Amino acid sequence: MEPIKWQVPFIDLRLAWSREKVDLLGIVDDVCADARFILRQEVEALEQRAAQRLGVKHAIAVGNGTDAITLGLRVAGVKPGDEVITVAHTFVATIASIVQCGATPILVDIGSDFLMDPGLLEAAITPRTKVVVPVHLNGRCCAMETIGAIANRYGLQIVEDAAQAFGSTLDGKYAGSFGLAGAFSFHPMKVLSCCGDGGLVTTQNDEIAETVKRLRNHGQRNKTEIVHFGVNSRLDNLQAAILLYRLRKLDSILARRRSIALRYHAAFASCGNIILPPHPGNPGDRHQDVVSGFVIRSPDRDALQRHLAGQGIETFAHWWPALHRRDNLHLDFSLPVTESVSNQVLSLPVFPEMTDEQVDWVIRSVLHHG
Ligand SMILES: Cc1ncc(COP(=O)(O)O)c(C=O)c1O
């Protein structure tokens, strides 16, 4: 295997494996020796524990976060010809899920917190609008009180893209518990991750939960009854077993991520050339974010990224170029804040196995440039 050349990689997933290897190999052996592969007790246990953790009535494990959004949209009744409102400052999966349903994505601009600007929502609503998809990017909840009130007023459903926000809260309510459905990803880069692809749909609604359960398994209610056509988007039982194990350790993982983010915040507070992301929240604050990414902004982003690469620090410009600026995607919207933010963003390394020395090195290197 290629050795990682970075002194501070953006993330090093091999470190998690070496820490967990003995436990995870035991889990894999236990599941495989008993041939518990598809929709077995580990999937059910994960669904129960995730629902408890997220303060929702139901959690349904699916194949990945993209399917979780698509299934959420399907159960919200999205059909060809409908419009679904979301943002361009997100991973392409959010918009692809809308397109997958045959609907038209309508993109609104974001605020300086990287999240949907609720003040722009109302003007984007038309008689064809069916659903709003707020994206809780970087583990921070969108302004759900305003978005929810507008959606209610116009009879729209909300499907939350909570792919990056497992455990984030706003006013004590968890991401994924505000709308008709919430969609999570367990991709290896996420705060709660499996060893491959995985996802979760959350809902408070019994009927929606039953429908998602059927849809993820070819529309089958049981072994003999097929209610309608669905898809194959079952979470592998092995991945569920790994997720159950990691869910038990989630609090310490989140605490380590948060402590790194707090150090960055304190160190860069008086750095004139850098715009900091929102603070992840002190005890008692309305927002309690999970730090799924630490994204700074710099007018001099490309030079800063080159400088950090020269210091052995790997960074990414998520999400640049902005999706609506890619001609091949045909998303013709004017989104000035998205555009300027996407030209400035730089995601710094933040992962639980990062050492204090690596955090120091990132801080020193950023300050040295700025
Ligand atoms: C904001 C956002 N939405 C959707 C997804 C899609 O999730 P997945 O890769 O599990 O399909 C991701 C992650 O990759 C994401 O970051």
Side-chain angles (χ1 to χ4, degrees):
M1 190 190 292
E2 278 269 298
I4 288 187
K5 64 181 164 59
W6 301 101
Q7 190 168 334
V8 188
F10 187 67
I11 189 169
D12 187 348
L13 296 168
R14 297 175 305 180
L15 295 175
W17 174 254
S18 54
R19 181 166 39 82
E20 300 172 332
K21 182 174 172 177
V22 173
D23 292 343
L24 289 187
L25 285 178
I27 286 168
V28 170
D29 184 44
D30 180 44
V31 167
C32 293
D34 197 32
R36 298 195 302 274
F37 294 129
I38 303 287
L39 295 183
R40 300 299 296 274
Q41 60 258 45
E42 282 77 6
V43 171
E44 278 173 27
L46 173 71
E47 291 177 338
Q48 274 173 17
R49 301 241 177 96
Q52 273 164 13
R53 183 71 167 75
L54 298 172
V56 289
K57 200 160 170 204
H58 303 281
I60 304 102
V62 297
N64 54 69
T66 310
D67 282 356
I69 307 169
T70 309
L71 292 173
L73 292 172
R74 278 185 70 173
V75 291
V78 171
K79 299 209 167 40
D82 291 338
E83 292 178 355
V84 175
I85 300 175
T86 191
V87 290
H89 193 67
T90 180
F91 181 51
V92 63
T94 316
I95 298 173
S97 305
I98 297 168
V99 172
Q100 201 73 55
C101 294
T104 305
I106 302 295
L107 306 181
V108 295
D109 217 342
I110 54 171
S112 58
D113 56 0
F114 306 121
L115 307 175
M116 178 181 280
D117 181 342
L120 301 174
L121 183 53
E122 210 156 354
I125 296 171
T126 75
R128 291 166 63 195
T129 309
K130 198 59 150 297
V131 171
V132 181
V133 181
V135 182
H136 306 309
L137 205 71
N138 305 321
R140 185 174 181 83
C141 287
C142 296
M144 294 311 295
E145 68 294 351
T146 316
I147 294 171
I150 296 170
N152 264 341
R153 202 173 324 131
Y154 286 87
L156 308 176
Q157 297 291 359
I158 291 177
V159 174
E160 297 164 66
D161 181 341
Q164 299 190 6
F166 194 101
S168 305
T169 60
L170 173 66
D171 296 329
K173 243 172 104 65
Y174 281 93
S177 72
F178 293 94
L180 181 73
F184 293 85
S185 167
F186 298 133
H187 180 278
M189 303 284 277
K190 300 297 186 258
V191 292
L192 176 61
S193 65
C194 54
C195 296
D197 277 314
L200 191 79
V201 178
T202 50
T203 182
Q204 308 281 22
N205 180 307
D206 299 346
E207 206 178 312
I208 293 292
E210 273 315 302
T211 311
V212 173
K213 274 193 176 168
R214 282 199 308 271
L215 280 172
R216 74 164 171 194
N217 193 20
H218 287 303
Q220 299 177 99
R221 177 173 286 143
N222 50 46
K223 285 212 167 14
T224 54
E225 208 181 340
I226 302 165
V227 181
H228 41 60
F229 288 119
V231 293
N232 177 356
S233 187
R234 302 173 298 234
L235 179 73
D236 287 347
N237 201 67
L238 256 181
Q239 299 294 357
I242 292 168
L243 284 160
L244 265 175
Y245 169 83
R246 290 185 171 168
L247 187 52
R248 285 197 289 274
K249 299 176 183 305
L250 185 65
D251 286 335
S252 68
I253 287 170
L254 295 181
R256 176 65 186 148
R257 286 177 165 276
R258 182 184 155 79
S259 79
I260 297 169
L262 292 179
R263 287 200 54 207
Y264 284 158
H265 252 280
F268 303 146
S270 52
C271 187
N273 281 344
I274 283 174
I275 304 166
L276 280 167
H279 190 279
N282 287 314
D285 286 352
R286 293 189 64 211
H287 282 274
Q288 298 292 326
D289 305 346
V290 298
V291 179
S292 84
F294 193 91
V295 186
I296 58 171
R297 285 164 58 195
S298 163
D300 207 11
R301 190 263 316 277
D302 295 346
L304 176 59
Q305 186 170 33
R306 275 195 304 275
H307 164 74
L308 293 178
Q311 303 300 303
I313 299 166
E314 187 182 25
T315 59
F316 285 94
H318 297 126
W319 309 97
W320 178 86
L323 291 172
H324 71 293
R325 300 296 293 171
R326 297 170 191 244
D327 290 344
N328 54 327
L329 297 183
H330 309 293
L331 299 165
D332 192 13
F333 295 89
S334 163
L335 306 168
V337 181
T338 299
E339 191 142 348
S340 90
V341 161
S342 77
N343 289 329
Q344 296 182 338
V345 283
L346 195 64
S347 299
L348 300 182
V350 49
F351 56 97
E353 297 79 15
M354 221 176 147
T355 63
D356 286 340
E357 291 70 31
Q358 287 177 312
V359 179
D360 285 340
W361 184 241
V362 174
I363 289 173
R364 273 219 302 281
S365 303
V366 170
L367 292 178
H368 185 249
H369 183 258

